Amino acid sequence: MKLERVEVVHVAIPLVSPFRTSFGTMTTKDTFLLHVVTDTAEGWSEFAADPQPRYCSEFVAGAELVLRDFLVPRVATLPTLTAALVGPAVSGIKGHELAKAALETAVLDAELRSYGMPLAVYLGAVRERVPAGVSVGIKDSVPELLDDVERYLAEGYVRIKLKIEPGWDVEPVRAVRERFGAALPLQVDANTAYTLADAEHLRRLDEFGLLLIEEPLDENNLYGHARLQSRIATPVCLDESLHNARDTAAAIAMDACRVVNIKPARVGGYLEARRIHDVARAHGVPVWCGGMLETGIGRAPNLALAALPGFTLPGDTSASARYFAEDITEPFVLVDGHLPVPRTPGIGVEPLPDVLRRFTRARRDLYGG
Ligand code: OSB
Ligand code: MG
């Protein structure tokens, strides 16, 4: 392929309810879609981070500049463009995995459309539908939390993840266990809100039989997570700390995590995400697919990835209605606790033009056009 045009489409889509984590509250999905046009096909992707660098160091305005000035120029000069060549072409630019992932994914979408191949087939998927978990934000009160969990379970979600932070951990977990029973698959996500000095406190979660505790300590503190794991029974799962297959292998080897949250955006794209899957699987470590409150454009490729054989735990790949009154693609609908893996070429979805227009804040060409 030859790259002809790259465009960013900034969108702002209201969430159905505010989503509160230990690092802040989101009320709108505010990001950009990346649209690439090649000589053979077009592709779409979604930048996964937010306008502010609170989950990770990347943010919307910075990513657009990095793409425009450093990433897209390196890809535009390739004699032939394929998704597998994007990573090597941009490897001289440090970091910026989420921006790199957006570029690689849009190119991959275009490439697979030119072959007529669905992403799930390309990645090696073994399932046609994937079980859906749901990530439940921090609430003002326990009764409010129980109402939300009850509603999600009634809708069919098969696993609940509670966001926690100091002051909102043992009590909400105990309340959910008491109300919904010991058999409910339940896990928690701290988004780096604790320190190793909290180890004894976090050990109090052991009695609740959680599937895992996600990213309790600082990002990239593998040593600390290993120390914590030696003191608690709940399996530690890493999210923010894992940026590629190599550091995932290191984290597993040092027992800094016993479960891996794979977010393709955080690791530079679907090719590295598959390598992480392969490394974890070779070690017998379960993986699951994380989410970033994506629109359908970001969700569709995550569903393809989650259909790989090592994804033995339900992911944060929830239905469109969990996030938005109106998604910018055909909505993903929960059926019997599962979401379908897209089976048409590329990522398998496209923005609905009328809906996209209504949610668009700005469009800019980064290349060509
Ligand atoms: O840590 O997994 C996280 C959302 C935004 C940023 C970070 C995280 C999350 C979620 C929601 O937990 C997952 C989803 O439903 O998309
Ligand atoms: Mg997380």
Side-chain angles (χ1 to χ4, degrees), residues 55 159 161 187 214 239 260-266 270 287-294 298-299 302-303 305-306 311 313-318 323:
Y55 162 77
R159 184 228 66 191
K161 161 168 141 182
Q187 64 193 51
E214 190 179 340
D239 174 2
V260 172
N261 171 341
I262 303 187
K263 280 184 189 163
R266 200 190 62 235
Y270 289 84
V287 305
W288 55 281
C289 185
M292 297 280 281
L293 310 178
E294 291 93 347
R299 189 159 316 282
N302 281 349
L303 290 167
L305 182 74
F311 284 77
L313 291 170
D316 282 346
T317 42
S318 308
Y323 309 100

Side-chain angles (χ1 to χ4, degrees), residues 226-279:
R227 295 274 307 276
L228 177 67
Q229 183 68 90
S230 73
R231 292 169 65 177
I232 66 175
T234 306
V236 171
C237 171
L238 292 178
D239 174 2
E240 285 90 331
S241 288
L242 300 178
H243 307 280
N244 52 54
R246 193 211 58 234
D247 56 30
T248 305
I252 291 170
M254 65 199 280
D255 200 23
C257 70
R258 294 180 180 170
V259 183
V260 172
N261 171 341
I262 303 187
K263 280 184 189 163
R266 200 190 62 235
V267 304
Y270 289 84
L271 303 188
E272 189 69 8
R274 183 172 54 186
R275 284 179 209 116
I276 294 178
H277 161 271
D278 295 349
V279 161

